[in-house]
Amino acid sequence: MHRRLVEILLLLFLVLIGLNWPALPFNSSLADLIFIPLAISVVTLARTRWSWRWFDTAVAAYLLGALPSLANVEDASPGVLELIREGYLVALYVVMALAVREGFARTIGKGLALGGSLLAIAGLVVIVIGWWGTPPWPPMGEVMALPYVGEVLRLRAMTASEAMLACVLTAAAPFAITLCASGRARPWCAASIATIAAAGLTFSHAIAGFAVAALIAAWPSFATLPRLRRVAVAGVVLICLVLNFAATISIKSVSFGGSIYADASAFYHAVDQGETRVGGATVTYTVMSYARIKQVAWDAFTLSPISGIGLDNFHWATQRAYSEGRLPHLYSEIDPHSTLLGRLAETGLIGAVTLLLLWAAWTVMARD
């Protein structure tokens, strides 16, 4: 009975983890409420005590790596709150690790795959309904103007943003693809297709990560198809290059004597304009917010390269950039949108090294 309860709570937690509804105090969600009984159930079920392993040291080092940055700010309370939030993630890590040791690995995989698949299917239904002229419910998606593609309906499917949906699907797709490849459950193949389609319809730069995750999950299935493997790798590399370029600048016009190409669409991701000459052609472009925010993060790092400007203090850097005219008011209080550069800016080399160690530990675990 106890194991059945843990299985139900695990599935509920993982299915609901991506939802951004309803709005609860302290930016919490339904999944956070379920985590409390889940943690109690898993800990009381565990037959063995927690045994410290080498990769647990990387997790602890990551938390400790932010502490020196708190000495650089007058008000350390935002940084302390951020440490508490990161501590919650560590608690989640511990609970999931204990659950895996108790034999719930397949349940966790199914929960992640199911949560992403349900959101993907709901988003695709919205797209189909939209074909009959019904405007989308804002929590499900919104029409936006994007560079190169114009106005499109971007799916968010009850998550915090379109990029967040792409990230949720990035976590779900490898498990759905693996379950599909096992041949035990045909519906997971349909779920894999739904997650791929929905991820593309987010029109988010996070699709690059999704493509990498999907390729890794599908890699064993290509064992007897070396040519397909090479094509898949080339396709994923191309996706990463294209999306990173699109998140850096948007070409507005190319002229060589007369106008050859012009994009008159306006989108709020643009924060600056520029012009350059390539050969005999004049190219005008807009700088995208993602690129400018990364520049702001690097500049903040150079101000305090050892311990950073303070954990969760990045808004100080964006407000400064706004006052200097480098960012519009819309981005005067924006997060780094880059794990590594954000860590460098807020916690300096000390924090960045601990982040890299954590990534290295996870890579070794995944390889093993």
Side-chain angles (χ1 to χ4, degrees):
M1 183 64 182
H2 196 161
R3 292 186 64 85
R4 184 59 177 168
L5 175 63
V6 170
E7 185 176 17
I8 292 173
L9 290 173
L10 273 172
L11 287 173
L12 281 174
F13 176 79
L14 294 169
V15 166
L16 297 173
I17 197 170
L19 285 181
N20 193 43
W21 179 90
L24 298 176
F26 306 109
N27 200 30
S28 58
S29 66
L30 288 175
D32 297 323
L33 299 181
I34 295 172
F35 178 74
I36 298 172
L38 170 62
I40 295 172
S41 300
V42 171
V43 171
T44 55
L45 177 67
R47 295 186 294 269
T48 57
R49 293 183 178 180
W50 178 265
S51 56
W52 193 271
R53 301 187 182 184
W54 68 269
F55 39 77
D56 299 327
T57 304
V59 176
Y62 177 81
L63 280 180
L64 296 174
L67 290 178
S69 72
L70 300 181
N72 291 349
V73 293
E74 296 180 2
D75 182 11
S77 56
V80 173
L81 288 175
E82 181 63 21
L83 275 179
I84 293 173
R85 285 191 287 265
E86 292 180 356
Y88 170 59
L89 291 179
V90 173
L92 174 59
Y93 162 78
V94 171
V95 168
M96 291 298 163
L98 287 173
V100 168
R101 294 184 192 182
E102 294 300 317
F104 291 101
R106 189 171 180 83
T107 301
I108 293 172
K110 283 185 175 180
L112 285 169
L114 184 60
S117 299
L118 290 175
L119 292 175
I121 293 169
L124 294 176
V125 168
V126 168
I127 293 290
V128 173
I129 293 175
W131 290 344
W132 279 271
T134 303
W137 185 38
M140 293 299 295
E142 185 178 352
V143 176
M144 296 183 185
L146 297 178
Y148 307 115
V149 295
E151 289 194 350
V152 292
L153 172 61
R154 300 183 64 193
L155 290 184
R156 68 169 64 119
M158 304 292 289
T159 62
S161 67
E162 297 76 19
M164 179 59 73
L165 175 59
C167 291
V168 171
L169 297 177
T170 298
F175 293 98
I177 292 171
T178 301
L179 288 166
C180 171
S182 68
R184 298 179 182 177
R186 295 289 183 181
W188 289 116
C189 296
S192 300
I193 295 172
T195 58
I196 293 170
L201 292 171
T202 63
F203 293 95
S204 165
H205 59 285
I207 296 173
F210 179 93
V212 173
L215 176 63
I216 292 172
W219 192 256
S221 302
F222 299 155
T224 58
L225 302 167
R227 288 187 177 180
L228 184 58
R229 272 188 170 181
R230 289 193 288 269
V231 171
V233 170
V236 169
V237 170
L238 180 62
I239 289 172
C240 292
L241 291 175
V242 168
L243 289 175
N244 275 280
F245 176 81
T248 303
I249 63 171
S250 171
I251 297 175
K252 299 298 292 181
S253 68
V254 178
S255 60
F256 187 81
S259 179
I260 301 175
Y261 166 82
D263 180 6
S265 58
F267 38 87
Y268 69 83
H269 296 89
V271 297
D272 203 352
Q273 295 185 355
E275 184 178 290
T276 187
R277 291 189 64 82
V278 179
T282 300
V283 179
T284 61
Y285 60 90
T286 56
V287 178
M288 303 298 287
S289 59
Y290 298 111
R292 180 55 51 82
I293 293 168
K294 290 173 177 59
Q295 293 173 346
V296 171
W298 180 259
D299 292 342
F301 162 67
T302 60
L303 292 176
S304 183
I306 304 301
S307 57
I309 61 174
L311 185 64
D312 202 33
N313 201 37
F314 190 71
H315 290 176
W316 172 85
T318 56
Q319 288 169 353
R320 180 185 178 197
Y322 166 65
S323 66
E324 295 172 348
R326 301 175 63 201
L327 283 174
H329 184 268
L330 179 65
Y331 293 99
S332 61
E333 292 188 4
I334 192 73
D335 292 334
H337 284 67
S338 171
T339 303
L340 181 56
L341 283 173
R343 184 76 171 175
L344 274 170
E346 294 186 348
T347 62
L349 286 173
I350 296 175
V353 168
T354 61
L355 171 64
L356 294 174
L357 288 174
L358 183 61
W359 284 352
W362 285 344
T363 301
V364 173
M365 290 170 61
R367 183 196 63 187
D368 292 343

